[in-house]
Every structure is written in structure tokens, then in C-alpha cells.
Amino acid sequence: MWNRIFKPVWGAKEGGRRLWLWIFIFLTLELLLIRWLQELQRQRSETVSRRKTEIQIAKEPLPIPEEKAPLQIAKKPSPEPTREKAAIVKAKRASPKAVDFRRIDGIGPKVNQLLHEAGIRTYEQLADSSEEKLRAILGEANLYMINPESWPEQAREVAGREGKD
């Protein structure tokens, strides 16, 4: 069996040429393999030498920074309070204690806070508010998906229940 496979290589005149061709191909592949292994070894040695230099750098003492004077933050001059802001501040101070609107369906902590900041602090004020005003308050906070349509009715019911208690 082996004789049939290799007979052309060592048997005929042309076989000698084929043998030299195979030897040439083998030696070329061997040289390429040796070059590739040398390149791998060189790359590994470079990474080891880099690590050594990084370790040496890490062992060096750090330079001591110069002490500088602490930074002084300049205060911005406060703007003069306008009449509108003063009226809002007075209204907030004069308004009754704010109630928790979370008893109403659709009002959570965020909306509760928005209503208080808008000056709606009691159930009566919420019941007297129009749907458009409530939608404007929600729109300023980009809460367009909340529907305040039933809030005034619910506020009247809660205010009526609290009035009876």
C-alpha cells in the first residue's frame, strides 16, 4: 500500500524532482514556523519588560504637591425680589397647612409636591381648581400622561367627609 503512494516520489526520474519539491516546501514551512515562534517570544519578553518598568515606576516616590491657598468661592449677588415673588412668598406663608392629596386616585408623592408648590394646599382649593389649571401644572413638570379630570370631584368628596368628622 505504501509502495503505491510513494512510488512516484522515489521511483522514476520525475520522482526525484518531486522529492526535492516536497523537501523545499517542508523547509519553507519550517522556517515560517520558526519565525512565528521567535516573534511570539519577542512579544512575551516585551510585555515582561514593560511590567518591570511599570513596577519600577510605581516604586518611585510621588512628588509632593505644592500647597496652595484654599479656593474662595465668590457669592453671586442675590437679585432683588420682585413683587410677584414677594406675593407668592406671602401667599405661601399665609396659606393653611398643606394636606396630603395622595388619598385621591392618580395623585402620588410627586404630583402632591407639585400641587403644593403651585399653591394648592387644601382639598377646597383643589376642588375649586379647573382641569385646565391642573393640566398646566402637570405640563410644567412634563407629566402629560396624568389625567386630572376627576380630581376636583374627588377633592369635594374628601373635603365633605373631613368636614363631617
Side-chain angles (χ1 to χ4, degrees):
M1 178 175 136
W2 293 107
N3 198 14
R4 274 188 275 149
I5 297 172
F6 291 108
K7 188 175 181 181
V9 174
W10 59 66
K13 292 181 182 178
E14 290 181 18
R17 288 185 211 147
R18 289 185 190 156
L19 179 63
W20 286 108
L21 180 66
W22 283 108
I23 291 172
F24 176 74
I25 291 172
F26 176 75
L27 289 175
T28 306
L29 291 173
E30 189 175 353
L31 285 174
L32 288 172
L33 180 66
I34 290 171
R35 292 287 296 242
W36 179 67
L37 290 173
Q38 287 175 345
E39 182 66 22
L40 280 177
Q41 187 176 9
R42 186 185 63 79
Q43 288 176 356
R44 287 182 183 159
S45 66
E46 282 181 6
T47 57
V48 170
S49 65
R50 283 184 195 155
R51 288 183 194 151
K52 287 180 183 177
T53 55
E54 289 173 1
I55 292 171
Q56 292 169 352
I57 291 171
K59 287 183 179 178
E60 294 177 4
L62 295 174
I64 300 172
E66 298 178 14
E67 289 190 30
K68 296 179 180 177
L71 295 175
Q72 299 282 333
I73 299 175
K75 294 183 180 179
K76 293 181 181 177
S78 59
E80 295 291 327
T82 61
R83 292 180 186 171
E84 296 171 3
K85 288 184 181 179
I88 292 172
V89 170
K90 286 181 184 178
K92 285 184 180 179
R93 289 182 191 158
S95 64
K97 184 179 177 185
V99 296
D100 189 15
F101 292 123
R102 288 185 280 178
R103 295 165 105 188
I104 296 176
D105 292 334
I107 297 181
K110 175 80 174 176
V111 176
N112 186 37
Q113 181 182 1
L114 288 172
L115 292 173
H116 288 255
E117 290 173 359
I120 301 173
R121 299 187 168 272
T122 64
Y123 288 110
E124 290 81 16
Q125 289 174 337
L126 182 59
D128 294 338
S129 299
S130 66
E131 183 181 343
E132 292 78 27
K133 180 180 177 183
L134 296 173
R135 284 192 190 275
I137 293 169
L138 295 172
E140 289 176 13
N142 292 328
L143 298 174
Y144 298 103
M145 63 281 197
I146 299 175
N147 184 8
E149 183 178 342
S150 64
W151 293 355
E153 279 182 39
Q154 293 180 46
R156 283 187 203 95
E157 291 175 13
V158 174
R161 276 188 256 147
E162 284 188 352
K164 292 179 184 177
D165 291 341

